[in-house]
Every structure is written in C-alpha cells, then in structure tokens.
Amino acid sequence: MTSSGPIAHGYHAMRADVAAVPIERDLLLVSGSDADTFLQGQLSQDVSTLAVVGPSWSFLLRPDGKVVAWLRIARLGADRFVLDVDAGWGQAVLERLERFKLRVKVEIEPIEGWSWVALRGPGLSGVDLGSAGAELILPADWPGLAGADLVGPAVRVPDGVPEVPATVLEVARVEAGVPRMGAELGERTIPAEAGAWVVESSVSFTKGCYTGQELVARIDARGSHVPRYLRGLELQGSELPPPGAAVVVEAREVGRITSATPSPRTGGVVALGYVGRAVEPPAEAFVRWDGRELPGSIRSLPLVVG
C-alpha cells in the first residue's frame, strides 16, 4: 500500500478478503405472459436461456445499435423478470421498453424502496449471505474481483464483513474496467468499444433478432474493430482529471478521460478513457486539461488481475 486512511484500509480489505459498500441502483419488474418473448426481442442477451435467478448482463440498444442502457436481467419465474441498472437510468429503460411494447401482455413497473449492498473481494465465498436479509442475491463478478449484490426491502451488510467507503468500490470499478452509465456508456457508445469482457458478458451471437442487433453483428463479423476502445490509465500525481480531459501520446490527442479516482495501490490516479485503436497499450501518455498535465501510461484492462 502506498497511502493510509479509511480508503486505503478499505481497499486493502476488499483486495485481500471481502468488503461491503451500500450502493444505489434502479430496479424494474417486467411481468406478464409475453414478458419472455418481449424481452428476447429487446435485449442483446439470450433471455430464453436464463435460469431462475441466474442473472446476466445485457445491452438495451437503440435501433441504430447505440447504447440506451447496460443492465442486468434476472428471471424470477416463467413470466417475471427484474432488470437493474445504474442509479438514475431506470426511467430511460422504462421509457425505451414502453415505446416498443406493442400488442403484448407485459407490465413494466419500478420497484421502489429496496436497498442494495455490494460485496467485492476474493473472500466472498466465506461470507454468510443469509445474514443480510436479501430478497435477491445477484452475482456481480468483475474482471479480477469476485462480487455479489444483495438486494431487498431491508438488506444489510452481512455479519463479519467490513463496510468501506464508496470510493473504494469506485477504485475497484475503474481498475476492473467496468463501465458506468453516463460515464463510459451512453447514447454515443457502440457496445464493442467497451471491451471484450463487457461484450462477452452481455451479448448473445446465437439468439434471434433484437432491436439494434444489426450493428453489433456487423462489427463482430469484422473482428470487433471500432475506432476507439475503453482503456485504463495509471497517472502520476494527485489531481483528478475531469471527464473529457485529453489523453495525449507523442503530442497527439488520442482519447478522452471518462472516470478518474485516487489510487491507494499506486499513490497516484487510476482512470478510464476511450483511446483510439491505433494506440496499443502499454503506451506512455499525458492527460491534459485547463493548463494542467499528468504523466502516466495507457494500460490494458483490467489494471489489477486477481
């Protein structure tokens, strides 16, 4: 460890064993006799193969293949599903699904008042999850880090698990290269830009047609070559570059920062950003904004393995 304090201690707990962070996410219930076939035609994941409470990531796309939302879907029964998405994006998912809900027996409604606890760390398997009072236990493994999200009307941190600051989870998210709606993902994003792990976790290339499929399939057929890719950055210094700060290689702007956070591991800053595909990591770089500059390097994701 290169720093001390609550964030550094929490980071060490998460990386060495397991830690808990209360989080917020939006939750929708999709039900009705046509719920299965309706979602199968709207989501990039193969809904028909989902087991009960066997959740999977999926994209909800616009007809042109750009991202409306990156969400998780879990089956509660033959005709009942829950969708969860980053906080503040549930309404966009609801409106998009309602717009395409034509002559089908499907109801879509928000689930309000439930709480969430994120567990991350290699010691997750030793946690008594039953002590948390969760209605749902959703697997949430990230590249290089085991995880589960506990959801329910009165969920709490499991017995014996330390609760750590939310900043710790943000560091782990950036190190893992997990995109966030409104930062790495939005209406200008093509799924393949977010990286192989995201696509492999979220897209079925064997299912039938769904809205936005044409662009996703075409890019896959061409070897997933897109103009830019999500990359990690390790930067020297303590100032946090804002979203939109320029990534510069050999005096040429090659990308933009999307997220940045202090790093207890390096003592500097770790960040995510979209970088032109011509730049092969690792590569020395600078991040520049408002007359400021941080030196560092562009790295492949995840930044931490195991």
Side-chain angles (χ1 to χ4, degrees):
M1 302 295 295
T2 58
S3 57
S4 59
I7 294 175
H9 289 298
Y11 178 85
H12 176 72
M14 185 173 288
R15 284 294 179 188
D17 188 8
V18 66
V21 180
I23 62 172
E24 295 183 6
R25 288 181 67 81
D26 291 348
L27 194 64
L28 299 173
L29 175 66
V30 182
S31 60
S33 58
D34 295 329
D36 189 310
T37 54
F38 171 68
L39 290 175
Q40 181 76 339
Q42 300 303 317
L43 299 179
S44 63
Q45 191 55 261
D46 191 346
V47 177
S48 68
T49 64
L50 287 179
V52 173
V53 195
S56 180
W57 294 104
S58 183
F59 282 108
L60 179 65
L61 301 173
R62 304 188 327 188
D64 65 1
K66 301 293 182 64
V67 174
V68 173
W70 186 51
L71 53 82
R72 187 168 38 189
I73 175 171
R75 182 190 291 272
L76 301 184
D79 56 3
R80 296 177 70 242
F81 299 83
V82 289
L83 310 178
D84 70 279
V85 66
D86 287 331
W89 291 86
Q91 185 63 29
V93 173
L94 177 61
E95 291 175 358
R96 161 64 177 75
L97 291 175
E98 287 285 358
R99 192 158 59 248
F100 283 74
K101 199 182 76 173
L102 304 173
R103 296 183 297 277
V104 291
K105 296 180 180 179
V106 175
E107 297 295 329
I108 308 168
E109 55 187 328
I111 299 176
E112 306 285 358
W114 284 26
S115 52
W116 295 72
V117 173
L119 301 179
R120 300 291 187 276
L124 177 64
S125 60
V127 175
D128 176 14
L129 298 179
S131 66
E135 187 79 15
L136 295 173
I137 299 174
L138 304 177
D141 290 352
W142 289 349
L145 195 64
D149 291 342
L150 312 181
V151 195
V155 71
R156 56 191 177 274
V157 174
D159 295 341
V161 177
E163 182 177 330
V164 302
T167 306
V168 174
L169 189 65
E170 177 66 359
V171 175
R173 181 189 76 82
V174 170
E175 290 181 336
V178 175
R180 176 168 55 85
M181 290 300 305
E184 289 73 40
L185 296 174
E187 61 181 9
R188 297 181 180 180
T189 314
I190 297 169
E193 295 174 333
W197 176 78
V198 174
V199 172
E200 290 168 3
S201 302
S202 311
V203 177
S204 169
F205 291 99
T206 59
K207 65 174 285 185
C209 295
Y210 60 90
T211 302
Q213 180 188 34
E214 182 179 355
L215 177 64
V216 176
R218 185 167 69 246
I219 290 174
D220 178 67
R222 295 175 179 175
S224 296
H225 296 309
V226 287
R228 60 180 191 160
Y229 292 101
L230 187 64
R231 301 297 191 193
L233 294 98
E234 294 184 341
L235 306 173
Q236 302 169 31
S238 58
E239 286 191 279
L240 291 183
V247 180
V248 178
V249 173
E250 297 180 348
R252 182 170 58 92
E253 183 180 315
V254 298
R256 295 278 176 172
I257 294 294
T258 56
S259 297
T261 184
S263 170
R265 175 176 56 87
T266 69
V269 171
V270 290
L272 294 174
Y274 282 103
V275 176
R277 72 180 184 189
V279 179
E280 286 290 338
E284 294 184 0
F286 291 89
V287 172
R288 293 174 178 163
W289 76 102
D290 296 337
R292 297 175 174 85
E293 180 177 275
L294 290 182
S297 60
I298 300 168
R299 302 284 183 178
S300 296
L301 293 167
L303 293 173
V304 177
V305 180

